[in-house]
Amino acid sequence: MPKAVAITGNEAVAEAMRQLNPDVVAAYPITPQTEIVQIFSTFVADGLVHTEFVPVESEHSALSAVVGASAAGARAMTATSSQGLALMWEVLNIASGMRLPIVMPVVNRALSAPINIHCDHSDTMGARDSGWVQIYSENVQEAYDNVIQAVRIAEHPDVRLPVMVMMDGFIISHGMETVTLLEDDVVKRFVGEYRPEHSLLDVDHPVTFGALDFADWYFEHKRQESDAEAGVSQVVISVAEDFARISGRRYGLFEEYMLDDAEIAVVALNSTAGTVKEVVDALRSDGVKAGLLKLRLFRPFPHRDVLSALRHVKAIAVLDRADTYSTMGGPLFIDIRNVMYDMPGPRIVNYIYGLGGRDIDLDEINKVFEDLKDIATTGKVGAPVTYLGVRE
Amino acid sequence: MSTLKEGTADVGIAREEPKGWRDVPTGGLITEAGNAMEYETGDWRTFRPVWHKDRCIQCLFCWVYCPDSAVEVRDGKVVGIDYKHCKGCGICANECPPKVRAIKMELESEAAGEGAAGNEGGGKDNA
Ligand code: SF4
Ligand code: SF4
């Protein structure tokens, strides 16, 4: 019987990791690390998992150790947040370039400076182009479900890429929710044994990982990586179908909330999508055709599907919890506008909000929809990029 | 990895067209042991070592010291230099006993001009 429990996002992800029982977990145990590996390390100490736990001296070393373990043929994981992810930067590209199916939960938190420990998405948006698959989670249940699915996605023969699974710092990582957990053996069967195509410990088939790759071959390997990314959406969908069979919970590339007939819509990531749903419900009861597209798979960007989901909408607001400092809006806005470029219809605006953990409330989201109503009626866009919730 | 075949161009030797991105192992993986032999690293020499058989006393110092295993030895005797892998560092010439000096470094451009294989992809060994 699956059981419903009240736990935090960190506890749920640690629980998923216990059930996944990876061969190796390496982590730097001091801030900016989260409770995820702290809780997981107690499972190791209590003998509940067979995992080799490697405490290292930095986040750079944590991911380096995981890269080595993965190349050796292990199912290897770590978890991080904020500055920790920033310190891993060099190794992120090594993990994806070597096509290692590492799974890493990331708790979204702001980057310094100024020093801040609260939620925004500047950490993982900084890793946007690292070749990792990025999956965002609205709540504790999704964070738990996504970590389990991520293993199957990463290890799929058509993918073999590392996957980050995100949840919002504090709002979800420390927020307690009722979650339905799967049985241990159900998770075990769902992910199965990891069978690497090549591994360093397979001495009968010796391979070299990480060799020098000059101008005569590097480009070909990067082209392969891009090709693998193009196949990720299909795998995400088929893994989600299998997951629905064991859990009853359905996932896709994104969630469409009242989007079918929507005339105005918001696009958002992570926990803010939950707040947007409240506003959409209220607007719908007033007869306003409002909707939401909550993106789950952000990298690679499921552009064809997003296009067909949004093409009928008159005015779209993209909410970004990170800035690109391009002065042209946030990262999600840039992608959405790119996807919609060839569509004559929809007008698209951007709201950058919630940096450093600044709350976004129902009134502010209401204001976004009010703006969208105006844009949909007049067809006119004022400022394409607005900073929402900042004091003027 | 590409293999050499006889070409008709001036350089004497041409490479086979290398494989496209669909046909190589993913992730930069090398899946065959010992295939460094096939990767020609001798195409950026400025000087080439020229071995003079008549002066050589077969002390094998050059073979011991060459950092790229480019001194070719058969049956315990030096037989020449593997120009496909020799990088032209000159260590062999330096280590060859001063009284013998059986290896001389020559400018690659001049050596190539003599009709020997050029420095594009290495040449035939001079055994
Ligand atoms: S020049 Fe250097 S690389 Fe070439 S044979 Fe001599 S020692 Fe070896
Ligand atoms: S070091 Fe000189 S003498 Fe000795 S084997 Fe090499 S070429 Fe011959």
Side-chain angles (χ1 to χ4, degrees):
Chain A
M1 270 288 290
K3 56 177 179 186
V5 291
I7 51 175
T8 66
N10 285 332
E11 288 167 342
V13 166
E15 185 64 9
M17 286 173 71
R18 181 189 65 73
Q19 294 178 312
L20 292 166
N21 197 2
D23 302 309
V24 175
V25 169
Y28 174 64
I30 310 169
T31 189
Q33 189 49 268
T34 67
E35 276 182 302
I36 295 171
V37 292
Q38 181 205 319
I39 298 164
F40 184 77
S41 68
T42 65
F43 297 150
V44 177
D46 293 345
L48 299 177
V49 285
H50 80 239
T51 307
E52 181 77 32
F53 189 84
V54 192
V56 290
E57 72 285 4
S58 77
E59 305 276 356
H60 186 280
S61 305
L63 192 55
S64 299
V66 167
V67 161
S70 183
R75 182 175 275 158
M77 297 181 74
T78 182
T80 193
S81 180
S82 179
Q83 303 301 120
L85 181 62
L87 186 52
M88 285 179 179
W89 205 91
E90 180 186 30
V91 193
L92 290 176
N93 291 266
I94 293 172
S96 56
M98 283 166 60
R99 306 292 299 277
L100 299 173
I102 295 161
V103 171
M104 177 165 72
V106 182
V107 172
N108 280 120
R109 286 170 26 192
L111 288 179
S112 297
I115 297 176
N116 179 296
I117 58 168
H118 289 281
C119 174
D120 73 32
H121 301 164
S122 48
D123 52 1
T124 54
M125 288 300 165
R128 183 188 68 170
D129 300 338
S130 62
W132 283 58
V133 174
Q134 289 197 341
I135 295 174
Y136 288 78
S137 325
E138 179 186 330
N139 51 38
V140 178
Q141 183 74 66
E142 288 191 9
Y144 170 81
D145 291 348
N146 283 337
V147 168
I148 292 167
Q149 292 175 67
V151 171
R152 285 269 304 268
I153 296 164
E155 292 173 6
H156 193 285
D158 294 346
V159 176
R160 289 193 294 114
L161 287 165
V163 180
M164 278 180 215
V165 177
M166 270 60 83
M167 64 171 150
D168 278 348
F170 294 97
I171 303 163
I172 302 304
S173 67
H174 290 62
M176 194 169 278
E177 291 175 15
T178 307
V179 176
T180 307
L181 301 178
L182 297 164
E183 296 282 327
D184 288 0
D185 61 327
V186 170
V187 175
K188 193 176 170 185
R189 272 200 306 276
F190 180 74
V191 293
E193 285 269 312
Y194 173 43
R195 294 186 202 288
E197 194 180 325
H198 299 283
S199 80
L200 289 174
L201 294 185
D202 180 0
V203 289
D204 294 330
H205 304 94
V207 286
T208 302
F209 276 82
L212 201 64
D213 200 21
F214 274 153
D216 48 357
W217 290 109
Y218 181 91
F219 202 174
E220 278 67 33
H221 290 122
K222 288 292 151 184
R223 179 68 187 84
Q224 290 175 333
E225 216 177 309
S226 180
D227 186 60
E229 300 280 358
V232 169
S233 284
Q234 198 43 53
V235 172
V236 168
I237 290 168
S238 75
V239 170
E241 280 165 6
D242 287 352
F243 189 78
R245 277 193 278 279
I246 61 161
S247 68
R249 294 186 289 276
R250 310 211 143 267
Y251 289 92
L253 304 171
F254 44 80
E255 180 186 347
E256 293 165 83
Y257 191 80
M258 309 271 174
L259 196 60
D260 273 1
D261 63 340
E263 289 171 358
I264 53 177
V266 159
V267 181
L269 292 169
N270 275 11
S271 67
T272 303
T275 321
V276 175
K277 286 175 188 173
E278 284 282 314
V279 178
V280 168
D281 288 348
L283 289 168
R284 284 276 169 174
S285 63
D286 293 341
V288 179
K289 291 194 168 168
L292 162 74
L293 186 145
K294 178 189 83 187
L295 206 60
R296 178 172 178 246
L297 180 67
F298 175 69
R299 278 290 175 275
F301 202 82
H303 50 93
R304 275 186 214 89
D305 300 81
V306 167
L307 175 62
S308 62
L310 288 176
R311 63 193 307 160
H312 64 281
V313 179
K314 288 183 183 154
I316 300 166
V318 180
L319 304 191
D320 265 298
R321 204 163 196 152
D323 200 347
T324 57
Y325 304 103
S326 66
T327 74
M328 295 194 304
L332 186 52
F333 174 62
I334 291 169
D335 282 346
I336 295 285
R337 208 154 68 150
N338 188 8
V339 164
M340 305 304 287
Y341 180 76
D342 294 323
M343 288 290 107
R347 306 260 124 195
I348 307 164
V349 287
N350 187 210
Y351 294 84
I352 291 172
Y353 76 98
L355 301 189
R358 176 72 49 89
D359 271 338
I360 182 165
D361 59 23
L362 298 172
D363 286 346
E364 280 161 343
I365 294 169
N366 247 315
K367 159 145 192 337
V368 169
F369 277 109
E370 285 303 318
D371 292 353
L372 288 181
K373 279 194 220 166
D374 283 349
I375 295 167
T377 316
T378 63
K380 287 201 178 68
V381 171
V385 183
T386 305
Y387 289 82
L388 183 67
V390 74
R391 286 186 300 278
E392 294 297 336
Chain B
M1 198 54 62
S2 67
T3 49
L4 287 178
K5 66 177 183 190
E6 290 296 321
T8 52
D10 288 343
V11 291
I13 290 206
R15 283 174 196 273
E16 228 171 56
E17 192 61 32
K19 286 175 180 166
W21 63 267
R22 289 181 184 81
D23 302 319
V24 291
T26 51
L29 231 62
I30 296 172
T31 52
E32 291 161 43
N35 72 352
M37 272 294 286
E38 293 169 38
Y39 193 72
E40 287 155 28
T41 50
D43 56 3
W44 45 283
R45 249 186 334 259
T46 306
F47 294 94
R48 66 158 55 190
V50 178
W51 173 67
H52 297 278
K53 189 178 180 181
D54 48 329
R55 301 184 64 97
C56 177
I57 57 168
Q58 297 295 351
C59 69
L60 294 184
F61 277 16
C62 54
W63 174 75
V64 169
Y65 281 101
C66 173
D68 284 78
S69 306
V71 174
E72 293 190 313
V73 169
R74 261 174 239 137
D75 301 326
K77 288 202 157 56
V78 173
V79 294
I81 309 285
D82 169 11
Y83 288 128
K84 286 170 195 163
H85 297 96
C86 162
K87 65 185 168 194
C89 66
I91 290 174
C92 52
N94 195 57
E95 296 302 328
C96 185
K99 284 184 184 157
V100 182
R101 292 171 61 83
I103 298 179
K104 296 217 169 61
M105 300 305 289
E106 293 179 11
L107 255 180
E108 186 66 32
S109 52
E110 286 172 12
E114 286 163 9
N119 60 2
E120 296 292 324
K124 300 177 185 106
D125 67 46
N126 62 354

